[in-house]
């Protein structure tokens, strides 16, 4: 469903009126009487403080920690805007907070940390972590984002995820799973080309390997990543081709291309050389590497996805992060591991195969049915919170990321259905 783009002034007015920004804080308890005041603050507040001092886990009982996630950035890789700094990133972080609340019911604070130092950033986040039940890292440039996430996952006992990496990986993985279904392929037989070698590209390629893909080629701004190059960091070296290969050679008979770069980094000629029914994910945003109509003109048999809402098969991170954090935090997971991400990807793929509710057909003005033009669920599918969060929660239990005892998946799914 296409819609006109907002003007610059409309965007500014939206953020300024009727009050600046997109989020506010509302209380969950009344403070209408002297008794309320004595319970909310002194002297009553001392009682839960002392209980938490004795047993830190009681913070989940007596404070908002259980349902509170932080969106934290240093503004070094914001959307398509680049390194605009911490303060200028705040509208994006507020927007992410809105999505957490509206899609998963999680409360959220946005926090902008004004430093490009890995040590200082990690020190700040570690120091404030007791406030939160989960931490969503956002818009931090590569390769620093890998080290930042690694340290924080290691140091903290709450879920930490850099969504720019893993959100795209999970959603695109779901799309690839279903693209294999409609084109009668097996994941382990795929030849995949990843165009781009930044945070999202590295994490996508890693997750595809976890899914079972055995043949992955990666291209950066200098060409194919191979073991004859001496200019590669450790993250790129994970995906070195065995010997020198040209750009055209890696596209020859490739089953899948995932573009995570910029417009023009692969071409119609590259698409023409791919295998039958090529799976083409052209995810640069807002301008894809190649527009879908160009792909379809060259290869009418292609399966196409983009990062945009005005084309079919949008790889949209809002399908992932609200529900991944919801499931992880609800079972008090100490991390978000590969098993949980893969569970989310398969849950998304399964949901797209199920019958589409009437309200979604009405919302999008067409009959939606699983196939080449519908591989990935729509963001407004109300079933997402139940299906994805429950799959993530169960995977956390099964993989040992959560030590919750007596987890009842059926009861949990019923609770999820009530949240929104």
């Amino acid at each position: 469903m296409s819609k006109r783009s907002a003007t610059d002034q409309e965007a500014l007015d939206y953020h300024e009126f009727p009050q600046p920004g997109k989020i506010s804080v509302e209380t969950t308890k009344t403070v209408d009487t002297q008794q309320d005041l004595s319970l909310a603050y002194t002297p009553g507040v001392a009682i839960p403080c002392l209980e938490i001092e004795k047993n830190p886990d009681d913070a989940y009982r007596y404070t908002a920690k259980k349902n509170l996630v932080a969106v934290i950035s240093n503004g070094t890789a914001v959307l398509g805007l680049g390194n605009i700094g911490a303060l200028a990133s705040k509208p994006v972080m507020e927007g992410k907070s809105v999505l957490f609340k509206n899609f998963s019911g999680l409360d959220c604070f946005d926090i902008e940390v004004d430093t490009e130092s890995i040590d200082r950033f990690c020190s700040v986040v570690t120091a404030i972590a007791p406030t939160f039940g989960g931490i969503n890292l956002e818009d931090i440039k590569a390769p620093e984002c890998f080290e930042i996430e690694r340290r924080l996952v290691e140091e903290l006992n709450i879920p930490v995820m850099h969504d720019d990496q893993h959100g795209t990986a999970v959603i695109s993985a779901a799309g690839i799973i279903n693209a294999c279904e409609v084109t009668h392929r097996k994941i382990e037989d795929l030849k995949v080309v990843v165009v781009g070698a930044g945070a999202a590209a590295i994490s996508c390629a890693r997750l595809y390997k976890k899914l079972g893909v055995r043949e992955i080629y990666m291209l950066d701004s200098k060409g194919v990543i191979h073991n004859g190059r001496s200019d590669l960091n450790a993250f790129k070296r994970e995906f070195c081709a065995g010997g020198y290969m040209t750009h055209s050679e890696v596209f020859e008979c490739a089953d899948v291309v995932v573009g995570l770069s910029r417009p023009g980094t692969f071409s119609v000629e590259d698409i023409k050389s791919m295998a039958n029914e090529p799976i083409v994910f052209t995810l640069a945003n807002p301008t894809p590497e190649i527009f879908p109509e160009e792909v379809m003109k060259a290869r009418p048999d292609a399966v196409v996805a983009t990062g945009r809402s005005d084309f079919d098969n949008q790889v949209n991170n809002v399908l992932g992060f609200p529900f991944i954090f919801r499931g992880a935090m609800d079972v008090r997971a100490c991390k978000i591991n590969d098993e949980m991400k893969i569970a989310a990807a398969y849950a998304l793929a399964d949901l797209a195969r199920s019958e589409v509710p009437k309200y979604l057909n009405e919302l999008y003005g067409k009959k939606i049915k699983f196939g080449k033009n519908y591989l990935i669920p729509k963001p407004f599918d109300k079933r997402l919170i139940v299906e994805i969060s429950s799959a993530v929660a169960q995977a956390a239990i099964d993989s040992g990321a959560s030590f919750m005892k007596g987890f009842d998946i059926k009861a949990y799914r019923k609770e999820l259905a009530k949240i929104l």
Side-chain angles (χ1 to χ4, degrees):
M1 182 175 61
S2 127
K3 193 174 182 181
R4 75 171 181 85
S5 297
T7 66
D8 290 357
Q9 191 58 52
E10 284 174 328
L12 292 172
D13 289 346
Y14 176 86
H15 284 81
E16 184 175 3
F17 304 111
Q19 67 184 60
K22 297 192 289 284
I23 60 174
S24 66
V25 175
E26 55 185 43
T27 60
T28 60
K29 305 291 191 294
T30 60
V31 189
D32 297 331
T33 67
Q34 181 62 39
Q35 175 73 354
D36 291 340
L37 185 59
S38 68
L39 290 170
Y41 202 54
T42 184
V45 75
I47 308 306
C49 288
L50 293 171
E51 291 299 307
I52 294 167
E53 183 187 27
K54 289 186 290 186
N55 179 19
D57 279 353
D58 277 350
Y60 287 91
R61 295 181 62 187
Y62 301 124
T63 77
K65 181 181 175 76
K66 179 181 179 180
N67 202 59
L68 187 59
V69 62
V71 172
I72 306 182
S73 181
N74 63 0
T76 53
V78 180
L79 296 176
L81 304 175
N83 187 351
I84 61 174
L87 182 59
S89 76
K90 186 170 174 62
V92 178
M93 304 314 131
E94 286 188 0
K96 198 73 178 271
S97 302
V98 169
L99 297 180
F100 265 112
K101 184 65 174 180
N102 287 348
F103 283 90
S104 67
L106 287 169
D107 296 314
C108 192
F109 291 159
D110 67 291
I111 297 173
E112 292 72 39
V113 182
D114 190 14
T115 182
E116 293 192 25
S117 161
I118 292 175
D119 290 341
R120 189 177 180 203
F121 186 93
C122 289
S123 177
V124 168
V125 176
T126 302
I128 65 173
T131 307
F132 303 101
I135 291 174
N136 181 108
L137 299 172
E138 190 77 12
D139 290 351
I140 304 168
K141 69 183 177 73
E144 290 87 341
C145 62
F146 298 113
E147 178 64 11
I148 285 171
E149 185 188 52
R150 185 196 67 78
R151 287 195 199 180
L152 293 175
V153 168
E154 190 174 278
E155 291 178 24
L156 302 177
N157 64 351
I158 58 175
V160 177
M161 186 175 83
H162 185 215
D163 182 51
D164 303 285
Q165 297 178 54
H166 306 296
T168 303
V170 167
I171 313 310
S172 63
I176 288 172
I177 290 165
N178 277 345
C180 285
E181 177 73 14
V182 300
T183 61
H184 310 291
R185 287 176 163 99
K186 293 181 179 179
I187 287 176
E188 60 267 27
D189 296 334
L190 294 176
K191 177 183 179 182
V192 176
V193 179
V194 177
V195 182
I202 296 288
S203 292
C204 283
R206 284 174 171 172
L207 193 64
Y208 303 160
K209 285 177 71 174
K210 293 287 184 180
L211 284 176
V213 178
R214 293 182 290 208
E215 190 176 5
I216 298 175
Y217 300 92
M218 183 173 287
L219 287 77
D220 64 9
S221 60
K222 295 181 181 178
V224 179
I225 291 173
H226 58 80
N227 58 16
R229 287 175 53 177
S230 59
D231 60 342
L232 303 175
N233 62 36
F235 307 105
K236 292 182 182 182
R237 279 197 292 271
E238 289 182 42
F239 299 99
C240 277
Y244 175 79
M245 298 185 73
T246 66
H247 180 110
S248 58
E249 283 174 338
V250 297
F251 273 92
E252 186 71 32
C253 294
D255 299 287
V256 181
V257 58
V258 180
L260 293 155
S261 52
R262 63 183 187 280
T265 46
F266 59 95
S267 68
V268 168
E269 293 305 312
D270 294 323
I271 302 301
K272 286 180 179 178
S273 73
M274 292 177 68
N276 291 334
E277 295 186 287
I279 299 165
V280 182
F281 285 14
T282 175
L283 304 182
N285 211 359
T287 305
E289 290 85 356
I290 307 176
F291 274 93
E293 54 264 33
E294 297 176 77
V295 175
M296 297 307 296
K297 184 178 179 181
R299 292 297 301 266
D301 60 338
V303 180
V304 184
T306 74
R308 291 170 54 129
S309 61
D310 52 350
F311 295 108
D312 291 326
N313 295 326
Q314 184 191 17
V315 176
N316 188 334
N317 283 19
V318 80
L319 294 168
F321 68 82
F323 315 113
I324 293 171
F325 273 93
R326 176 87 268 170
M329 289 169 61
D330 284 344
V331 295
R332 303 265 298 277
C334 59
K335 65 177 69 175
I336 295 172
N337 59 25
D338 287 334
E339 292 88 344
M340 294 157 74
K341 296 169 202 167
I342 290 170
Y346 274 103
L348 279 166
D350 289 344
L351 184 58
R353 298 181 198 183
S354 66
E355 185 176 353
V356 175
K358 182 180 177 182
Y359 69 83
L360 276 178
N361 291 321
E362 292 174 350
L363 179 63
Y364 287 89
K366 60 183 179 181
K367 177 70 174 176
I368 303 171
K369 185 178 180 181
F370 177 67
K372 284 188 175 183
N373 295 323
Y374 179 62
L375 303 171
I376 303 168
K378 301 293 187 182
F380 295 102
D381 192 326
K382 297 174 184 176
R383 301 169 296 174
L384 284 162
I385 190 170
V386 175
E387 301 304 327
I388 313 310
S389 298
S390 64
V392 169
Q394 187 65 63
I397 299 287
D398 294 342
S399 66
S402 167
F403 301 105
M404 181 174 282
K405 305 295 183 185
F407 178 65
D408 185 337
I409 187 70
K410 291 182 179 179
Y412 179 55
R413 287 172 63 88
K414 289 180 180 177
E415 290 176 23
L416 289 169
K418 298 175 185 176
I419 287 176
L420 299 182

